[in-house]
Amino acid sequence: MAEQAGWQGERLTIGLLGGGTVGAAVARGLASRAEEWGIGIAGIAVRDLAKAQAAGLDRIAPLTTDPAALAASDDVDVVVELMGGLDPAMPIVEAALKAGRPVVTANKLLLATFGARLESLARSTDTALRFESAVAAGVPVIGVLANDLSANEITSIRGIINGTTNYILTKMESEGWSYDHALAEAQKIGYAEANPKSDVEGEDAAAKLVVLARLASGAWPALSHVQFDEAPGITGVTAAAIADAGTRGARLRMIAEWQNGGDDASKDSLSVRVTEVPADSRLGTTVGGGNLIVISGDLIGDLTLAGAGAGPGSTASGVLNDLLAIARGEGSSWGDLPPAIAAPAPAWIKAAKRGAK
Ligand code: NAP
Ligand code: HSE
């Protein structure tokens, strides 16, 4: 159970929900550090036991197809949710927090959909909820926003926060690959979501932007507050459009942007749009699965964070750091930030609703 002042038990034991791209990397990373860290794995939940056995996960910890039972087991001190999606992730995470059992998750869809509810629950039971890898994988943007920039008024956040689409745009340009071939390669590397539609249509980036906005603004926007191009994400991008941008010394990048609208969170703007950027700029030279995020604050000016924003190694880094933070009793990812509210709908949504009546 939660020990906010630092872990008092002899050994911290996790229930690992998910043994896919990220879960397997976390299991392997933990197995090689188990003795040094005193953190063990009680079990790994998957759907397909044969696939997990073929990946050798049964040699690390017992396998199960019942994530809810594993998460509720008395042997489990911390739940690590790496299944993705909302069901069964939401009821399991909710039950763990209600029971005072800390949770680490990399699931941005879960946070963007139910963040306000989960934060309120975690605060009410004084239980840690950590999610560093939910945005930009192991690039520590969550920790920086929640802790290191807390003296600043954050004015905007702008950047590349989806590795799959950046990889596709890069390979279409540099190798002349087709969109379908580049997507298939991104899936092989482990960048893409289980359903890559959420990557290419921008929903994954939108969910990450919601999480960043919460830390910057103190309110959880809804996913529906994020504005997209008419053809969402990179679905409207063609080889001809990439070549055309090249003639202007530019590259196409899928840019997520949050702009602080002032004291009223309904005036904040959130968008995910394909944008031309100078080819030799920092955004233009961010290639492959790389992410780059510029955070602007009233005191610090522009701060840029960049690194591997997807893939097993980088994501496992963030998840394992969260586990170590829980072992040290550091609490939730929002640190000492005040409790967040659910953000009111922006004016353009209210106007559209009025128009529809
Ligand atoms: P993945 O490769 O599809 O793995 C998902 C794992 O969860 C699989 O082992 C799957 O089992 C298991 N699972 C799913 N539903 C389950 C259920 N109902 N019961 C038991 N097991 C279940 O996905 P991933 O890429 O590792 O991503 C996991 C999470 O991390 C997602 O929230 C994703 O958004 C996030 N994330 C991913 C990355 C990345 O680079 N991949 C980076 C940051 C964050 P089966 O394989 O047997 O179906
Ligand atoms: N599918 C995500 C991406 C994984 O491509 O960025 C990292 O969150």
Side-chain angles (χ1 to χ4, degrees):
M1 296 294 138
E3 294 280 352
Q4 296 291 315
W7 193 256
Q8 306 297 315
E10 293 216 328
R11 190 177 163 84
L12 193 71
T13 303
I14 70 160
L16 184 54
L17 314 186
T21 302
V22 183
V26 166
R28 292 187 190 114
L30 210 44
S32 64
R33 294 161 175 83
E35 291 313 312
E36 186 190 342
W37 288 357
I39 302 179
I41 308 177
I44 304 174
V46 296
R47 280 179 298 213
D48 183 342
L49 290 173
K51 192 169 83 178
Q53 279 157 357
L57 296 184
D58 57 330
R59 294 196 291 278
I60 297 178
L63 301 177
T64 172
T65 54
D66 190 342
L70 174 60
S73 154
D74 285 342
D75 296 337
V76 168
D77 301 308
V78 179
V79 173
V80 179
E81 188 282 302
L82 298 171
M83 296 180 293
L86 300 179
D87 190 19
M90 178 57 183
I92 292 175
V93 167
E94 212 172 14
L97 294 175
K98 267 187 196 150
R101 187 164 291 163
V103 174
V104 175
T105 181
N107 188 338
K108 50 268 171 167
L109 181 64
L110 177 73
L111 293 161
T113 311
F114 294 116
R117 199 158 122 194
L118 291 175
E119 178 176 343
S120 164
L121 178 57
R123 286 183 185 274
S124 71
T125 59
D126 197 17
T127 306
L129 171 62
R130 297 194 70 94
F131 45 86
E132 181 59 67
S133 278
V135 183
V139 179
V141 61
I142 301 288
V144 165
L145 271 175
N147 304 306
D148 305 304
L149 295 181
S150 50
N152 282 257
E153 161 102 5
I154 306 297
T155 50
S156 68
I157 300 174
R158 182 169 190 265
I160 297 166
I161 53 175
N162 182 270
T164 301
T165 47
N166 206 60
Y167 179 88
I168 293 172
L169 292 175
T170 304
K171 292 297 185 185
M172 284 176 73
E173 186 198 351
S174 64
E175 314 290 333
W177 287 359
S178 70
Y179 178 97
D180 289 344
H181 177 59
L183 172 57
E185 290 299 316
Q187 288 177 292
K188 269 191 220 159
I189 300 169
Y191 289 160
E193 296 300 301
N195 180 358
K197 198 167 173 274
S198 71
D199 291 298
V200 298
E201 292 190 354
E203 187 196 48
D204 176 79
K208 290 165 175 167
L209 192 63
V210 164
V211 176
L212 295 179
R214 177 272 170 260
L215 297 172
S217 73
W220 284 97
L223 261 174
S224 59
H225 297 180
V226 182
Q227 295 182 282
F228 296 92
D229 290 324
E230 203 174 319
I234 63 165
T235 55
V237 174
T238 58
I242 291 173
D244 189 43
T247 63
R248 290 185 287 279
R251 287 190 170 131
L252 298 183
R253 291 290 180 260
M254 193 176 80
I255 305 292
E257 183 164 12
W258 169 83
Q259 290 278 351
N260 187 339
D263 290 341
D264 177 356
S266 75
K267 297 207 168 100
D268 291 359
S269 77
L270 299 98
S271 63
V272 173
R273 296 189 191 287
V274 172
T275 307
E276 273 191 22
V277 299
D280 59 359
S281 64
R282 286 209 263 188
L283 288 166
T285 53
T286 298
V287 295
N291 280 190
L292 183 139
I293 304 166
V294 182
I295 304 171
S296 305
D298 61 341
L299 301 174
I300 192 150
D302 288 352
L303 174 71
T304 303
L305 297 172
S314 177
T315 314
S317 167
V319 170
L320 293 174
N321 278 323
D322 274 343
L323 272 175
L324 290 174
I326 284 175
R328 291 191 296 265
E330 286 181 14
S332 294
S333 283
W334 46 78
D336 291 331
L337 294 177
I341 52 156
W348 65 269
I349 290 189
K350 288 186 195 146
K353 277 190 185 148
R354 274 197 301 274
K357 273 183 194 159

mmCIF file of all heavy atoms in Angstrom, residues 317-337:
data_model
loop_
_atom_site.group_PDB
_atom_site.id
_atom_site.type_symbol
_atom_site.label_atom_id
_atom_site.label_comp_id
_atom_site.label_asym_id
_atom_site.label_seq_id
_atom_site.Cartn_x
_atom_site.Cartn_y
_atom_site.Cartn_z
ATOM 1 N N SER A 317 12.371 3.780 -19.762
ATOM 2 C CA SER A 317 13.150 4.689 -18.909
ATOM 3 C C SER A 317 12.213 5.531 -18.035
ATOM 4 O O SER A 317 12.401 5.630 -16.815
ATOM 5 C CB SER A 317 14.020 5.592 -19.803
ATOM 6 O OG SER A 317 14.546 6.657 -19.055
ATOM 7 N N GLY A 318 11.190 6.114 -18.655
ATOM 8 C CA GLY A 318 10.260 6.954 -17.889
ATOM 9 C C GLY A 318 9.469 6.144 -16.870
ATOM 10 O O GLY A 318 9.250 6.589 -15.739
ATOM 11 N N VAL A 319 9.034 4.945 -17.269
ATOM 12 C CA VAL A 319 8.244 4.099 -16.357
ATOM 13 C C VAL A 319 9.097 3.681 -15.155
ATOM 14 O O VAL A 319 8.661 3.750 -13.992
ATOM 15 C CB VAL A 319 7.715 2.855 -17.108
ATOM 16 C CG1 VAL A 319 7.109 1.846 -16.142
ATOM 17 C CG2 VAL A 319 6.695 3.260 -18.174
ATOM 18 N N LEU A 320 10.327 3.267 -15.423
ATOM 19 C CA LEU A 320 11.191 2.808 -14.325
ATOM 20 C C LEU A 320 11.576 3.980 -13.410
ATOM 21 O O LEU A 320 11.660 3.818 -12.187
ATOM 22 C CB LEU A 320 12.438 2.106 -14.891
ATOM 23 C CG LEU A 320 12.131 0.779 -15.605
ATOM 24 C CD1 LEU A 320 13.391 0.210 -16.256
ATOM 25 C CD2 LEU A 320 11.541 -0.249 -14.649
ATOM 26 N N ASN A 321 11.779 5.152 -13.990
ATOM 27 C CA ASN A 321 12.047 6.327 -13.141
ATOM 28 C C ASN A 321 10.854 6.623 -12.245
ATOM 29 O O ASN A 321 11.020 7.009 -11.085
ATOM 30 C CB ASN A 321 12.380 7.551 -13.998
ATOM 31 C CG ASN A 321 13.831 7.535 -14.429
ATOM 32 O OD1 ASN A 321 14.706 7.135 -13.680
ATOM 33 N ND2 ASN A 321 14.092 7.950 -15.651
ATOM 34 N N ASP A 322 9.643 6.463 -12.779
ATOM 35 C CA ASP A 322 8.450 6.662 -11.947
ATOM 36 C C ASP A 322 8.424 5.663 -10.787
ATOM 37 O O ASP A 322 8.035 5.996 -9.667
ATOM 38 C CB ASP A 322 7.177 6.501 -12.792
ATOM 39 C CG ASP A 322 6.768 7.803 -13.491
ATOM 40 O OD1 ASP A 322 7.249 8.883 -13.098
ATOM 41 O OD2 ASP A 322 5.954 7.720 -14.434
ATOM 42 N N LEU A 323 8.803 4.425 -11.079
ATOM 43 C CA LEU A 323 8.821 3.408 -10.011
ATOM 44 C C LEU A 323 9.829 3.782 -8.926
ATOM 45 O O LEU A 323 9.541 3.661 -7.727
ATOM 46 C CB LEU A 323 9.202 2.051 -10.599
ATOM 47 C CG LEU A 323 8.055 1.207 -11.120
ATOM 48 C CD1 LEU A 323 8.599 -0.054 -11.774
ATOM 49 C CD2 LEU A 323 7.111 0.840 -9.968
ATOM 50 N N LEU A 324 10.987 4.252 -9.349
ATOM 51 C CA LEU A 324 11.996 4.662 -8.362
ATOM 52 C C LEU A 324 11.481 5.850 -7.552
ATOM 53 O O LEU A 324 11.724 5.939 -6.342
ATOM 54 C CB LEU A 324 13.309 5.023 -9.065
ATOM 55 C CG LEU A 324 14.069 3.824 -9.666
ATOM 56 C CD1 LEU A 324 15.266 4.291 -10.471
ATOM 57 C CD2 LEU A 324 14.521 2.862 -8.569
ATOM 58 N N ALA A 325 10.758 6.752 -8.217
ATOM 59 C CA ALA A 325 10.198 7.911 -7.505
ATOM 60 C C ALA A 325 9.192 7.447 -6.452
ATOM 61 O O ALA A 325 9.136 7.990 -5.342
ATOM 62 C CB ALA A 325 9.546 8.869 -8.495
ATOM 63 N N ILE A 326 8.397 6.442 -6.791
ATOM 64 C CA ILE A 326 7.436 5.912 -5.811
ATOM 65 C C ILE A 326 8.189 5.258 -4.653
ATOM 66 O O ILE A 326 7.837 5.441 -3.481
ATOM 67 C CB ILE A 326 6.453 4.941 -6.506
ATOM 68 C CG1 ILE A 326 5.447 5.765 -7.309
ATOM 69 C CG2 ILE A 326 5.730 4.057 -5.478
ATOM 70 C CD1 ILE A 326 4.477 4.974 -8.137
ATOM 71 N N ALA A 327 9.253 4.531 -4.982
ATOM 72 C CA ALA A 327 10.041 3.902 -3.919
ATOM 73 C C ALA A 327 10.638 4.966 -2.983
ATOM 74 O O ALA A 327 10.796 4.732 -1.786
ATOM 75 C CB ALA A 327 11.160 3.054 -4.530
ATOM 76 N N ARG A 328 10.931 6.136 -3.527
ATOM 77 C CA ARG A 328 11.484 7.225 -2.696
ATOM 78 C C ARG A 328 10.385 8.021 -1.989
ATOM 79 O O ARG A 328 10.675 8.967 -1.266
ATOM 80 C CB ARG A 328 12.299 8.198 -3.571
ATOM 81 C CG ARG A 328 13.596 7.631 -4.118
ATOM 82 C CD ARG A 328 14.443 8.747 -4.727
ATOM 83 N NE ARG A 328 13.810 9.378 -5.875
ATOM 84 C CZ ARG A 328 14.038 9.037 -7.153
ATOM 85 N NH1 ARG A 328 14.892 8.084 -7.428
ATOM 86 N NH2 ARG A 328 13.421 9.653 -8.142
ATOM 87 N N GLY A 329 9.126 7.691 -2.286
ATOM 88 C CA GLY A 329 8.005 8.385 -1.635
ATOM 89 C C GLY A 329 7.735 9.759 -2.209
ATOM 90 O O GLY A 329 7.268 10.660 -1.507
ATOM 91 N N GLU A 330 7.997 9.922 -3.514
ATOM 92 C CA GLU A 330 7.860 11.262 -4.108
ATOM 93 C C GLU A 330 6.436 11.638 -4.529
ATOM 94 O O GLU A 330 6.220 12.746 -5.016
ATOM 95 C CB GLU A 330 8.814 11.387 -5.310
ATOM 96 C CG GLU A 330 10.255 11.524 -4.866
ATOM 97 C CD GLU A 330 11.227 11.672 -6.011
ATOM 98 O OE1 GLU A 330 10.789 11.934 -7.148
ATOM 99 O OE2 GLU A 330 12.425 11.492 -5.760
ATOM 100 N N GLY A 331 5.480 10.736 -4.373
ATOM 101 C CA GLY A 331 4.092 11.101 -4.674
ATOM 102 C C GLY A 331 3.791 11.110 -6.165
ATOM 103 O O GLY A 331 4.454 10.463 -6.957
ATOM 104 N N SER A 332 2.797 11.928 -6.539
ATOM 105 C CA SER A 332 2.257 11.887 -7.904
ATOM 106 C C SER A 332 3.037 12.781 -8.854
ATOM 107 O O SER A 332 3.792 13.662 -8.436
ATOM 108 C CB SER A 332 0.791 12.337 -7.894
ATOM 109 O OG SER A 332 0.009 11.410 -7.180
ATOM 110 N N SER A 333 2.803 12.595 -10.161
ATOM 111 C CA SER A 333 3.529 13.348 -11.187
ATOM 112 C C SER A 333 3.262 14.848 -11.111
ATOM 113 O O SER A 333 4.062 15.629 -11.606
ATOM 114 C CB SER A 333 3.163 12.844 -12.584
ATOM 115 O OG SER A 333 3.831 11.643 -12.845
ATOM 116 N N TRP A 334 2.118 15.268 -10.544
ATOM 117 C CA TRP A 334 1.838 16.712 -10.491
ATOM 118 C C TRP A 334 2.590 17.390 -9.347
ATOM 119 O O TRP A 334 2.478 18.608 -9.183
ATOM 120 C CB TRP A 334 0.350 17.010 -10.396
ATOM 121 C CG TRP A 334 -0.372 16.161 -9.394
ATOM 122 C CD1 TRP A 334 -0.383 16.323 -8.039
ATOM 123 C CD2 TRP A 334 -1.169 15.015 -9.674
ATOM 124 N NE1 TRP A 334 -1.139 15.334 -7.451
ATOM 125 C CE2 TRP A 334 -1.643 14.523 -8.437
ATOM 126 C CE3 TRP A 334 -1.542 14.347 -10.839
ATOM 127 C CZ2 TRP A 334 -2.447 13.396 -8.342
ATOM 128 C CZ3 TRP A 334 -2.343 13.231 -10.739
ATOM 129 C CH2 TRP A 334 -2.787 12.768 -9.513
ATOM 130 N N GLY A 335 3.364 16.636 -8.588
ATOM 131 C CA GLY A 335 4.210 17.227 -7.561
ATOM 132 C C GLY A 335 3.419 18.091 -6.594
ATOM 133 O O GLY A 335 2.383 17.672 -6.078
ATOM 134 N N ASP A 336 3.893 19.312 -6.378
ATOM 135 C CA ASP A 336 3.230 20.217 -5.433
ATOM 136 C C ASP A 336 2.264 21.172 -6.112
ATOM 137 O O ASP A 336 1.814 22.155 -5.502
ATOM 138 C CB ASP A 336 4.291 21.034 -4.665
ATOM 139 C CG ASP A 336 5.077 20.145 -3.711
ATOM 140 O OD1 ASP A 336 4.498 19.142 -3.240
ATOM 141 O OD2 ASP A 336 6.258 20.436 -3.470
ATOM 142 N N LEU A 337 1.958 20.937 -7.384
ATOM 143 C CA LEU A 337 0.996 21.811 -8.069
ATOM 144 C C LEU A 337 -0.365 21.711 -7.371
ATOM 145 O O LEU A 337 -0.734 20.644 -6.871
ATOM 146 C CB LEU A 337 0.832 21.412 -9.536
ATOM 147 C CG LEU A 337 2.062 21.603 -10.439
ATOM 148 C CD1 LEU A 337 1.767 21.082 -11.846
ATOM 149 C CD2 LEU A 337 2.467 23.071 -10.496
#
